[in-house]
Amino acid sequence: MARKRAELARAGLADCQFCAHHCGVNRLAGETGLCHAGVLANFFLAQPELTDELELIPTFAIALSGCDLRCDFCITGAESWNPHVGSTFEAARLAAQANAALACGAKTVMLLGGEPTVHLHHALELVARLPDEVKLVWKTNAHGSAQARELLDGMFDVWLADFKFGNDACAQRLAKVPDYLAIVQENLCWAHLHGELIVRHLLMPGHGECCWRPVAAWLAENLPGVKVNLRSGFWPAWKASRHLELRGTVAEGERQRAWQVAGHYGLNLIP
Amino acid sequence: MKKPKNTLSTELLILPDGRILVQNLTEPMAQILRRLNPHDQFIAPRARAAKKPS
């Protein structure tokens, strides 16, 4: 089924609607949209990792270059903003590496970016080459389209989705993305219904009240019991210094208040 | 600096107060960080997880 989906996704490049920007460009003809991705994909990292949620590690992480968002604080900004950096994504070769890692004790295989949605056809080609029993993790910014969801349905076991901003103004200012909340919330609700969902929120300095609190409140009301990973290890990477409040790390008091917010809303926090 | 191929990569940010933030934590680096601070709540379980093939 993954092979068939990969073919459908490749055909979809003629009128690219993978993400919620709906650029509609013909990537097969060399046109590019906001993410600048073409037909080929590159990856900038493929290795066993332990940074992620305890229930997912060790994971064999494959990070594809390119993204449809433009987060100034992106920890992998150089690779995420440029889909042409890194090495050529070869599904067969990466599947062999993933299988070797699984044989050595990796529990999962994780596709991430950048944002893997912009390279959906390659991601699905990789899935087609992995054994059915492998636990696959789709690490996403949750800014995909309905078409992407349809192509991804049943392909990954876990959706590890970012919920970065608690309001559209912060999303527009820091990631240059309009209508963020509605799009992400729709994707999260879909993922929750169609598989296992883990929501991640990166606590940003100065955004505890405007972003984390509304995110926590929405999750409590709409996805009660969903697994949430609150990450407080923000560091001022890439172009974060464009924003005064993002020039440092999260203060201890701010971190503690964020945990209190999680407790107030009864969130199911996971490490 | 261009990264050599087929090597593991972890990024660290060491803060003035001694805290270490980690990105792309690999097993070798997890073991090193665990030795530096065996009680760290983020590193310790991850270092242990690396030692448990499923």
Side-chain angles (χ1 to χ4, degrees), chain A residues 78-94:
Chain A
E79 297 88 354
S80 294
W81 287 30
N82 183 355
H84 306 295
V85 301
S87 305
T88 303
F89 186 99
E90 297 173 52
R93 191 169 173 182
L94 286 165

Side-chain angles (χ1 to χ4, degrees), chain A residues 44-45 47-54 57-58 75-76 79 87 104-107 231 233-236 249-250 271, chain B residues 3 5 7-13 15 19 21-27 30 42 45-47 49-50 52-54:
Chain A
F44 60 92
L45 180 142
Q47 65 182 18
E49 288 200 1
L50 302 168
T51 325
D52 302 285
E53 286 70 7
L54 282 179
I57 63 167
I75 196 84
T76 57
E79 297 88 354
S87 305
C104 290
K107 282 167 65 176
R231 298 172 83 90
F234 176 91
W235 83 48
T249 56
V250 174
Chain B
K3 289 178 188 171
K5 286 186 175 177
T7 57
L8 300 177
S9 172
T10 295
E11 291 176 67
L12 302 177
L13 180 64
L15 302 176
R19 283 182 296 149
L21 302 180
V22 184
Q23 166 80 356
N24 301 124
L25 180 65
T26 58
E27 181 182 347
F42 182 86
R46 284 169 173 76
K52 284 187 211 162
S54 59

Side-chain angles (χ1 to χ4, degrees), chain A:
Chain A
M1 188 193 289
R3 200 170 301 278
K4 180 68 182 167
R5 296 274 184 91
E7 289 170 10
L8 289 171
R10 185 170 285 274
L13 293 173
D15 173 22
C16 187
Q17 307 285 345
F18 287 169
C19 83
H21 288 307
H22 294 291
C23 296
V25 295
N26 184 350
R27 289 166 59 178
L28 294 172
E31 295 175 8
T32 58
L34 289 168
C35 68
H36 303 300
V39 177
L40 301 177
N42 284 354
F43 70 99
F44 60 92
L45 180 142
Q47 65 182 18
E49 288 200 1
L50 302 168
T51 325
D52 302 285
E53 286 70 7
L54 282 179
E55 62 188 75
L56 303 176
I57 63 167
T59 189
F60 185 73
I62 302 170
L64 290 100
S65 308
C67 185
D68 55 314
L69 299 187
R70 288 293 178 267
C71 302
D72 283 335
F73 54 89
C74 183
I75 196 84
T76 57
E79 297 88 354
S80 294
W81 287 30
N82 183 355
H84 306 295
V85 301
S87 305
T88 303
F89 186 99
E90 297 173 52
R93 191 169 173 182
L94 286 165
Q97 283 183 255
N99 280 322
L102 290 162
C104 290
K107 282 167 65 176
T108 60
V109 175
M110 181 183 298
L111 261 73
L112 67 155
E115 172 54 39
T117 301
V118 303
H119 301 295
L120 204 44
H121 52 307
H122 289 288
L124 292 167
E125 282 171 17
L126 178 71
V127 173
R129 292 172 182 275
L130 292 171
D132 289 343
E133 64 273 18
V134 175
K135 189 167 186 175
L136 296 173
V137 182
W138 184 248
K139 168 70 183 65
T140 178
N141 60 23
H143 190 252
S145 66
Q147 183 197 53
R149 293 196 298 266
E150 197 174 321
L151 290 165
L152 285 164
D153 193 6
M155 295 290 103
F156 286 80
D157 301 282
V158 179
W159 273 49
L160 178 54
D162 287 328
F163 196 165
K164 298 170 189 276
F165 308 107
N167 66 84
D168 285 339
C170 287
Q172 181 65 50
R173 183 168 66 89
L174 301 180
K176 303 168 191 68
V177 56
D179 305 320
Y180 175 84
L181 273 188
I183 293 163
V184 169
Q185 289 168 352
E186 183 178 334
N187 276 305
L188 294 181
C189 289
W190 181 91
H192 188 59
L193 286 174
H194 287 76
E196 187 181 341
L197 171 65
I198 299 174
V199 179
R200 256 192 204 175
H201 179 79
L202 173 64
L203 185 65
M204 295 187 291
H207 288 264
E209 289 301 314
C210 59
C211 287
W212 170 231
R213 185 179 289 279
V215 163
W218 186 87
L219 290 172
E221 184 175 351
N222 295 279
L223 299 173
V226 72
K227 293 175 183 173
V228 180
N229 186 352
L230 175 61
R231 298 172 83 90
S232 58
F234 176 91
W235 83 48
W238 193 227
K239 301 179 188 296
S241 62
R242 286 175 171 175
H243 310 279
L244 194 59
E245 81 276 18
L246 299 185
R247 291 180 181 175
T249 56
V250 174
E252 180 57 22
E254 202 167 19
R255 196 179 72 83
Q256 286 181 10
R257 280 194 296 279
W259 284 91
Q260 287 168 359
V261 167
H264 173 77
Y265 288 107
L267 296 185
N268 177 20
L269 292 182
I270 62 166

